[in-house]
Amino acid sequence: DIALFGVNFEFMCESGLRIKEKSPLKNLMIITCADKSIEGAPYLVDKWGYEHHTPSYYRNGVRDAMTEEVSTEALMEMFEERLRRED
């Protein structure tokens, strides 16, 4: 099984890797900046980068770096719904 997860922003690599680890499907591909019509898509720093004010922190588009958690929850809900349909 292959899963594609397209988002209109740029994840930090570490965030993408953590999301892939949690995925029930082993072949998850995350595609960032998926919508060309959106110019200047936000860069989303992870919690560590937010707390330590890394260079990515200053380009972060979301308060408190919550996007990784919210995106992970939403993605896992979509996987659960899809996998239930296949049963």
Side-chain angles (χ1 to χ4, degrees), residues 49-79:
Y50 191 88
E51 292 167 358
H52 292 89
H53 291 229
T54 62
S56 303
Y57 166 85
Y58 296 100
R59 299 183 313 186
N60 184 45
V62 178
R63 185 176 72 83
D64 295 339
M66 292 296 297
T67 306
E68 180 180 337
E69 291 175 32
V70 173
S71 296
T72 302
E73 288 174 20
L75 183 62
M76 294 309 132
E77 285 177 19
M78 286 188 283
F79 281 145

Side-chain angles (χ1 to χ4, degrees), residues 4-70:
L4 301 175
F5 180 45
V7 292
N8 292 331
F9 43 79
E10 188 173 346
F11 270 127
M12 290 194 64
C13 180
E14 294 83 1
S15 295
L17 290 172
R18 284 189 290 271
I19 289 172
K20 286 180 70 144
E21 285 175 6
K22 294 176 183 176
S23 172
L25 301 174
K26 297 300 175 200
N27 297 313
L28 172 63
M29 209 182 246
I30 299 173
I31 303 162
T32 63
C33 304
D35 187 349
K36 288 183 175 183
S37 68
I38 298 176
E39 196 169 315
Y43 190 84
L44 303 173
V45 69
D46 65 355
K47 288 273 191 192
W48 190 90
Y50 191 88
E51 292 167 358
H52 292 89
H53 291 229
T54 62
S56 303
Y57 166 85
Y58 296 100
R59 299 183 313 186
N60 184 45
V62 178
R63 185 176 72 83
D64 295 339
M66 292 296 297
T67 306
E68 180 180 337
E69 291 175 32
V70 173

